[in-house]
Amino acid sequence: MRMIHKYNLASTESPSNRTRADDVYEKIKNEISEFRLIPGDHFTESEISKRFNVSRTPVRQALFRLQSEGYVQVQFRAGWRVQPFDFDIFEQLYDLRMVLEVAAVRRLCDQDRRVDLARLSSLQQIWLVPASERCTDGLQVASWDEQFHTTLVEASGNNEMARMHKDVTARIRIIRRLDFTKTDRITTTYTEHSEILREILRGKSEEAILLLCAHIEASQKEVQKITLHQIQLARKQGLGLVET
């Protein structure tokens, strides 16, 4: 058993509206996102309960929530399993993401559409800044990156597109955040986002779409490469929470 991480949730200070299951959910999700729980790893509710010093009820609630989001699978009479990465599914999700974002950009650049260009002002304050003022915190930039793309779709004025895009964004978040573990990718994202945003503000849809598609395709390739490397490294170093 690889039992190297132990948490005492009883001592964790939580907002009054949070539950013990919420805390367990965040802890397990972080373990998966940081590859301390490796795709394919097996574990039981009792093991998680002991590790986090909580009863099995909040553990079970957290795990069913994670299952609904595609992070884990329940194994009949065999506990739980971290969902293996299926890059075919991620490729399909990235394809859908691109379709939605391209449609959003077309709407934003179409003067006859009822869109909310004012919402793009918040993006300008983040991405259209001098190089000396750019953020270098990978976690922060990852959050802003997600906000950039969701804002483009939401500002397009199609609520159903925004709803679908939000779902896709949540499902690819686990690997997409890895794109910002390298400094050069942070720099590249700033450059590409600023170029896309400027073309949208000019109403140049085709130029913006070309830049957007290239940006998404490059990010997809990068996160797949990093994900494979991280999984191999974690298995080699034995960083999983439990042993398969």
Side-chain angles (χ1 to χ4, degrees):
M1 290 287 182
R2 293 195 293 263
M3 303 292 194
I4 63 173
H5 293 280
K6 187 170 183 178
Y7 302 91
N8 187 340
L9 295 183
S11 63
T12 300
E13 294 184 2
S14 301
S16 58
N17 62 335
R18 285 180 62 86
T19 66
R20 188 61 58 86
D22 291 330
D23 292 333
V24 176
Y25 165 86
E26 292 294 341
K27 293 293 186 181
I28 299 175
K29 191 173 181 179
N30 286 338
E31 293 288 346
I32 295 172
S33 297
E34 295 172 8
F35 295 94
R36 291 195 290 267
L37 262 175
I38 306 169
D41 270 353
H42 292 265
F43 58 91
T44 67
E45 292 175 9
S46 294
E47 290 167 348
I48 297 297
S49 177
K50 291 177 182 178
R51 193 65 66 276
F52 296 165
N53 193 28
V54 295
S55 69
R56 291 181 60 179
T57 298
V59 170
R60 187 177 300 112
Q61 292 172 342
L63 289 172
F64 278 120
R65 181 178 171 186
L66 289 163
Q67 181 183 38
S68 71
E69 296 176 1
Y71 288 98
V72 298
Q73 302 170 321
V74 64
Q75 304 287 292
F76 183 64
R77 295 183 178 178
W80 293 79
R81 182 190 187 200
V82 181
Q83 182 80 13
F85 278 120
D86 187 332
F87 285 108
D88 288 338
I89 292 178
F90 278 109
E91 184 174 347
Q92 293 172 33
L93 290 171
Y94 266 89
D95 286 346
L96 178 55
R97 173 193 170 191
M98 189 176 295
V99 168
L100 294 170
E101 293 189 27
V102 166
V105 168
R106 288 195 188 280
R107 291 175 64 89
L108 289 170
C109 294
D110 186 345
Q111 296 181 356
D112 295 329
R113 296 281 190 180
R114 297 181 62 182
V115 299
D116 187 6
L117 290 177
R119 294 200 61 177
L120 303 186
S121 61
S122 63
L123 301 183
Q124 296 179 60
Q125 296 172 16
I126 295 174
W127 302 106
L128 302 185
V129 298
S132 60
E133 297 179 16
R134 291 177 176 178
C135 178
T136 58
D137 183 335
L139 289 176
Q140 180 62 75
V141 177
S143 176
W144 283 345
D145 170 72
E146 185 172 302
Q147 177 190 344
F148 175 86
H149 292 276
T150 56
T151 300
L152 292 183
V153 180
E154 291 169 355
S156 72
N158 187 312
N159 292 333
E160 286 304 305
M161 281 173 48
R163 180 186 60 79
M164 293 178 63
H165 186 266
K166 183 178 180 180
D167 178 63
V168 171
T169 298
R171 294 176 67 184
I172 65 175
R173 184 176 293 134
I174 188 172
I175 65 171
R176 182 174 169 184
R177 62 183 288 277
L178 295 173
D179 200 16
F180 303 97
T181 57
K182 295 185 177 180
T183 302
D184 62 326
R185 290 300 301 162
I186 294 175
T187 302
T188 298
T189 298
Y190 263 100
T191 300
E192 294 176 353
H193 279 192
S194 63
E195 291 173 346
I196 294 167
L197 189 54
R198 286 191 176 99
E199 295 301 332
I200 292 174
L201 294 172
R202 294 186 185 115
K204 302 292 186 180
S205 64
E206 295 308 315
E207 290 84 347
I209 287 169
L210 286 174
L211 291 168
L212 176 69
C213 291
H215 169 67
I216 294 175
E217 288 173 354
S219 176
Q220 180 182 355
K221 291 178 181 178
E222 187 67 22
V223 296
Q224 180 167 335
K225 180 174 67 176
I226 295 173
T227 299
L228 289 170
H229 174 72
Q230 290 287 84
I231 292 173
Q232 293 169 357
L233 185 64
R235 291 202 181 282
K236 182 178 180 180
Q237 296 182 348
L239 294 179
L241 179 67
V242 295
E243 197 158 52
T244 57

